[in-house]
């Protein structure tokens, strides 16, 4: 042999070493998954066993619990049927109304006007009215946010803010909502 090949492992020996390491890693991983993988027999996910367990739970329910569960299922079905019967345009108007209320702190009347405006959203009046009738919002809080904005950005007096809040050319809040805002300005 020449001096260059002495002390250096051959290609075949290097491959065997790598293969040995891979086999050992595979054994270790397999052993760990067997130890920590859990027992499939204990936690069976077979559909027939699940349905048997559900039936057993139903059999253990009292008549009152069964009646309550049936009533809840009936109410959910009615709510879904009602939701499905609402025209898409009405749902869209409600979603847009919620956006105006949240982002721009608008009043009910201001939102309605924006929804039906030919320069705004152009919803039909019935869709806009549905939105106004079904939106759940704290209008007094919106009036307060608007009042705070007027005071901070335009340095307006409380009387001027009140007038702007109730103005038909302004924010269109109710007098009660506007008074709440004025009373709670800091």
């Amino acid at each position: 042999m020449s001096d260059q090949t002495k002390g250096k492992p051959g290609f075949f020996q290097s491959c065997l070493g790598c293969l040995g390491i891979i086999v050992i890693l595979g054994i270790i991983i397999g052993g760990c998954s067997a130890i920590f993988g859990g027992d499939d027999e204990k936690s069976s996910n077979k559909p027939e066993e699940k349905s048997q367990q559900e039936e057993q739970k139903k059999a253990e329910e009292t008549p009152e619990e069964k009646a309550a569960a049936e009533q809840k299922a009936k109410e959910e079905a009615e709510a879904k049927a009602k939701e499905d019967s609402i025209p898409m345009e009405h749902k869209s108007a409600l979603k847009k109304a919620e956006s105006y209320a949240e982002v721009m702190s608008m009043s009910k009347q201001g939102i309605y006007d924006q929804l039906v405006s030919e320069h705004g959203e152009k919803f039909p009046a019935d869709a806009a009215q549905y939105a106004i009738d079904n939106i759940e919002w704290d209008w007094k809080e919106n009036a307060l946010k608007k009042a705070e904005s007027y005071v901070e950005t335009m340095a307006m007096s409380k009387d001027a803010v009140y007038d702007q809040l109730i103005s038909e050319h302004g924010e269109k809040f109710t007098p009660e909502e506007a008074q709440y805002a004025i009373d709670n300005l800091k």
Side-chain angles (χ1 to χ4, degrees):
M1 276 195 203
S2 70
D3 289 337
Q4 291 178 341
T5 59
K6 282 186 177 177
K8 292 185 177 180
F11 176 76
F12 184 69
Q13 290 173 332
S14 295
C15 287
L16 279 178
C18 288
L19 184 60
I21 291 173
I22 291 171
V23 169
I24 290 171
L25 285 173
I27 292 171
I28 292 171
I29 292 171
C32 287
S33 64
I35 292 171
F36 299 111
D39 187 4
D40 287 343
E41 294 298 318
K42 289 181 184 174
S43 59
S44 176
N45 289 329
K46 295 178 183 174
E48 60 271 1
E49 288 183 20
K50 282 187 177 181
S51 64
Q52 288 174 352
Q53 291 171 349
E54 290 173 6
E55 288 177 25
Q56 185 178 5
K57 283 183 184 178
K58 287 181 183 177
E60 294 172 358
E61 289 180 342
T62 65
E64 293 83 17
E65 291 172 329
K66 285 181 183 178
E70 288 173 3
Q71 180 65 26
K72 183 178 178 185
K74 181 180 175 184
E75 289 171 359
E76 288 173 355
E78 288 173 356
K80 178 152 178 40
K82 183 179 177 184
E83 175 70 22
D84 291 344
S85 70
I86 298 169
M88 184 271 314
E89 197 160 40
H90 287 58
K91 292 177 189 178
S92 295
L94 177 57
K95 194 170 197 173
K96 186 58 85 168
E98 290 168 342
S99 176
Y100 280 124
E102 181 176 0
V103 176
M104 299 179 72
S105 302
M106 292 176 72
S107 67
K108 259 187 179 183
Q109 186 62 50
I111 291 172
Y112 178 86
D113 292 348
Q114 184 65 23
L115 291 175
V116 297
S117 172
E118 68 179 60
H119 303 292
E121 301 301 328
K122 301 179 184 176
F123 281 104
D126 64 327
Q129 191 59 54
Y130 170 84
I132 296 305
D133 292 344
N134 288 281
I135 189 170
E136 294 179 15
W137 210 262
D138 186 348
W139 302 109
K140 289 179 180 180
E141 191 62 32
N142 273 16
L144 178 58
K145 287 177 184 176
K146 279 291 184 181
E148 289 170 342
S149 174
Y150 280 121
V151 169
E152 290 172 17
T153 60
M154 301 181 77
M156 294 172 72
S157 70
K158 286 185 175 183
D159 286 342
V161 170
Y162 179 86
D163 290 343
Q164 184 65 25
L165 291 176
I166 63 167
S167 172
E168 105 179 30
H169 303 291
E171 300 300 331
K172 303 176 184 175
F173 283 100
T174 66
E176 180 185 351
E177 294 162 350
Q179 191 58 54
Y180 171 87
I182 297 305
D183 292 344
N184 289 282
L185 275 174
K186 295 176 184 174

